[in-house]
Amino acid sequence: MARPGFSSQLSTLLDRTLMIYLGSPSTLLIMLLQPPLVGAILGLAWKDQEPTNATFLCMAIAAIYIGAMNSATAIVRERAILERERMFRLSIWAYLLSKAAVLAGVCVAQMVLLLVVQSNLMHLPAGVGNHLLLAVALTLAAACATGLGLSISAFARSTYVAVLLVPVLIIPQIVFTEVVLKGGIDRQIPEVVEKVTITKWGYEALYMVGHDGPWGDFVGSAAMMLLLLVGFLAVAAFKLKLDEV
């Protein structure tokens, strides 16, 4: 029997992944309730105030944590199914892209909910355009973190280990930031680590919106997050292919 083409597999896997989440209302509800709670925490921390650099950093971290947690168990909990389907020449990239695409859609809804609650408690940059750009920046950070979560899930051997690995990989992204280290970021190791963190580019995109920065810098930060997403998916694909050897 000939293997279905990539586009055919991707379409089927997209439908299946979507049905998995829609078929579990409790899981979907938890995923959609978490962002408003985080938005409330952020909004109350700077209640009736203008955002600071720390605000934008915390927003980026929140988006990264939510995105990574969305996907950290997505592969490991289906490991047995995946191994069986690989016997029938399942495309690893179609599988990963189906997960990433559906979860990116979830990220859009989550980040909008986060911003709606947060903006009602504090003074975020005014205007529909700025709110839209904030949503785009947060969604890109969350979607990129979804790729990180899928990488974690590809390496983990249990859902318990996958969940434990999320904070382990997020903490360095908090520590190695210009906002935290300030002048110390110029040292060789922190500077190199910072450049490959989602936090740096998510924070910079949010910062550009908050300070009415140049469009080029926002687009550059967005492009870096997309590049990191591709990199994380490549790492996950490499590990899944390695498991077949």
Side-chain angles (χ1 to χ4, degrees):
M1 181 185 296
R3 182 180 76 164
F6 175 84
S7 59
S8 176
Q9 288 196 41
L10 179 59
S11 176
T12 300
L13 289 167
L14 279 169
D15 289 342
R16 187 177 75 179
T17 303
L18 186 59
M19 288 303 102
I20 288 173
Y21 286 100
L22 292 179
S24 180
S26 58
T27 299
L28 193 59
L29 182 62
I30 290 172
M31 293 173 76
L32 294 178
L33 283 177
Q34 187 181 27
L37 291 175
V38 174
I41 293 169
L42 292 170
L44 289 171
W46 284 275
K47 185 170 173 57
D48 297 327
Q49 298 179 46
E50 300 293 329
T52 65
N53 291 351
T55 310
F56 294 127
L57 177 63
C58 288
M59 290 170 69
I61 293 168
I64 292 166
Y65 178 79
I66 291 170
M69 287 300 295
N70 283 350
S71 59
T73 62
I75 296 175
V76 66
R77 71 184 176 213
E78 296 180 358
R79 177 68 70 167
I81 297 173
L82 176 61
E83 289 176 355
R84 185 168 62 250
E85 291 184 338
R86 282 297 289 162
M87 296 173 61
F88 298 94
R89 302 174 67 191
L90 172 75
S91 167
I92 290 295
W93 274 103
Y95 177 78
L96 289 172
L97 288 174
S98 71
K99 297 289 185 190
V102 171
L103 288 170
V106 173
C107 286
V108 172
Q110 288 176 316
M111 295 305 106
V112 169
L113 289 170
L114 187 153
L115 277 176
V116 167
V117 174
Q118 185 181 353
S119 63
N120 278 290
L121 294 169
M122 64 175 292
H123 303 302
L124 290 175
V128 175
N130 282 332
H131 283 194
L132 181 60
L133 288 175
L134 288 175
V136 169
L138 287 173
T139 298
L140 285 172
C144 186
T146 294
L148 173 62
L150 289 173
S151 292
I152 291 172
S153 200
F155 279 87
R157 287 301 171 183
S158 71
T159 56
Y160 178 73
V161 171
V163 171
L164 285 181
L165 285 174
V166 171
V168 171
L169 292 179
I170 287 181
I171 288 172
Q173 302 200 50
I174 299 172
V175 175
F176 292 100
T177 61
E178 185 176 359
V179 176
V180 173
L181 293 181
K182 300 185 178 2
I185 197 68
D186 294 333
R187 291 178 290 122
Q188 186 175 8
I189 292 178
E191 187 176 16
V192 171
V193 173
E194 187 204 25
K195 283 180 170 34
V196 293
T197 63
I198 310 169
T199 315
K200 171 181 172 61
W201 306 108
Y203 165 75
E204 289 193 0
L206 293 167
Y207 180 91
M208 290 303 156
V209 179
H211 293 80
D212 199 22
W215 266 95
D217 288 348
F218 181 90
V219 172
S221 296
M224 283 302 300
M225 285 188 278
L226 290 174
L227 185 62
L228 283 173
L229 171 58
V230 173
F232 290 134
L233 292 178
V235 169
F238 174 78
K239 179 58 171 66
L240 293 177
K241 287 181 180 296
L242 194 62
D243 289 342
E244 298 174 5
V245 177

